[in-house]
Amino acid sequence: ACDAISWDDDIWPLLTTGQTDQARNCASAACHDPAANLTPAGGLRLPLADAEKAFGVLAAYSPTPGYPYVSDTKPAPPWILCNLHGDKGGSQPMPPPPLPLVSEADYQKVVTWARCGEPRTKIGGGTAGSGGTGGTDGGTDGGT
């Protein structure tokens, strides 16, 4: 159900604290949240302790016009699906090889979140994000 899934409570924790291998944590020092004097992978700094700021960084990143990485205001098949699934057209798989991709169950949580309009907070649970359902087909063809 769309009212039970959000970036803040489900997706960001899945991409950071939910990983059994710290190397697979998107906001680890080895990936997108290195020490302040180092450039993060892809130039995208995703602070572990700030889900909203991480969402903002990813929402501002659009590798291909019309295919946002994530967006709660313009739902479309987001690029994050390509990267997490290792699909062609998604730049590179995340986490990068030789690390394994997220589990299929975790990937399906992200697909559900995308189909629900990529809400940042649970519907009725705050002011950030638009939530709702909207024009995303949950496919993995973003950026192809």
Side-chain angles (χ1 to χ4, degrees), residues 66-97:
Y67 289 100
Y69 202 81
V70 297
S71 174
D72 61 343
T73 59
K74 185 179 161 190
W79 267 75
I80 194 171
L81 294 176
C82 289
N83 287 136
L84 292 177
H85 208 240
D87 294 331
K88 182 178 179 183
S91 180
Q92 72 172 355
M94 291 290 148

Side-chain angles (χ1 to χ4, degrees), residues 33-133:
D33 197 19
N37 62 335
L38 299 174
T39 301
L44 301 173
R45 184 173 299 277
L46 306 175
L48 177 62
D50 193 339
E52 287 299 307
K53 187 170 184 178
F55 187 94
V57 168
L58 292 174
Y61 178 65
S62 183
T64 298
Y67 289 100
Y69 202 81
V70 297
S71 174
D72 61 343
T73 59
K74 185 179 161 190
W79 267 75
I80 194 171
L81 294 176
C82 289
N83 287 136
L84 292 177
H85 208 240
D87 294 331
K88 182 178 179 183
S91 180
Q92 72 172 355
M94 291 290 148
L99 297 170
L101 296 171
V102 298
S103 70
E104 186 61 24
D106 285 347
Y107 176 73
Q108 289 306 317
K109 288 178 190 175
V110 181
V111 168
T112 297
W113 170 75
R115 286 182 178 156
C116 289
E118 303 172 50
R120 288 165 64 181
T121 60
K122 296 202 175 172
I123 296 172
T127 58
S130 62
T133 59

Side-chain angles (χ1 to χ4, degrees), residues 10-46:
D10 304 291
I11 305 306
W12 184 239
L14 179 148
L15 298 175
T16 56
T17 59
Q19 302 300 332
T20 56
D21 178 353
Q22 269 305 100
R24 292 177 57 196
N25 177 337
C26 298
S28 73
C31 291
H32 295 288
D33 197 19
N37 62 335
L38 299 174
T39 301
L44 301 173
R45 184 173 299 277
L46 306 175

